[in-house]
């Protein structure tokens, strides 16, 4: 589209836009906005606490699994060593 076509269109849109009847410096979200933001903040904190708990739990499970595998490997090595010493 050319500028010749857009100019009258923009002037119609600009003329149809009513001027605000309020002072934009004093408009606030009010109690509903406060409650909405408070709910989002509380939800975010609860999600962060839950995530930290789950990460900690998975870390402990991985450490315990590694310890169990190390104990099984040490027991297998001890059994193999005992069998080797008994036959010789």
């Amino acid at each position: 589209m050319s500028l010749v076509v857009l100019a009258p269109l923009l002037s119609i849109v600009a003329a149809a836009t009513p001027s605000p009847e309020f002072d934009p410096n004093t408009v606030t979200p009010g109690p509903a906005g406060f409650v909405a933001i408070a709910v989002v903040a509380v939800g975010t904190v609860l999600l962060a606490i839950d995530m930290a708990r789950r990460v900690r739990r998975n870390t402990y499970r991985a450490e315990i699994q590694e310890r169990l595998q190390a104990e099984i490997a040490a027991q297998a090595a001890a059994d193999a060593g005992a069998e080797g010493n008994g036959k010789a």
Side-chain angles (χ1 to χ4, degrees), residues 69-87:
Q69 289 175 354
E71 287 178 13
I72 292 170
Q75 185 65 34
D79 290 344
E83 288 177 8
N85 290 337
K87 289 183 179 180

Side-chain angles (χ1 to χ4, degrees), residues 44-78:
T44 302
V45 168
L46 292 175
L47 282 173
I49 290 170
D50 184 53
M51 182 191 70
R53 189 189 68 195
R54 289 174 188 263
V55 168
R56 189 179 321 116
R57 185 184 308 153
N58 284 335
T59 302
Y60 289 152
R61 285 181 181 168
E63 289 175 5
I64 290 170
Q65 190 71 10
E66 288 175 8
R67 286 184 202 162
L68 290 173
Q69 289 175 354
E71 287 178 13
I72 292 170
Q75 185 65 34

Side-chain angles (χ1 to χ4, degrees), residues 6-63:
L6 289 178
L9 198 62
L10 290 175
S11 66
I12 291 171
V13 170
T17 305
S19 62
E21 296 179 9
F22 57 87
D23 183 12
N25 295 325
T26 61
V27 175
T28 63
F34 174 77
V35 169
I37 295 300
V39 168
V40 169
V42 168
T44 302
V45 168
L46 292 175
L47 282 173
I49 290 170
D50 184 53
M51 182 191 70
R53 189 189 68 195
R54 289 174 188 263
V55 168
R56 189 179 321 116
R57 185 184 308 153
N58 284 335
T59 302
Y60 289 152
R61 285 181 181 168
E63 289 175 5

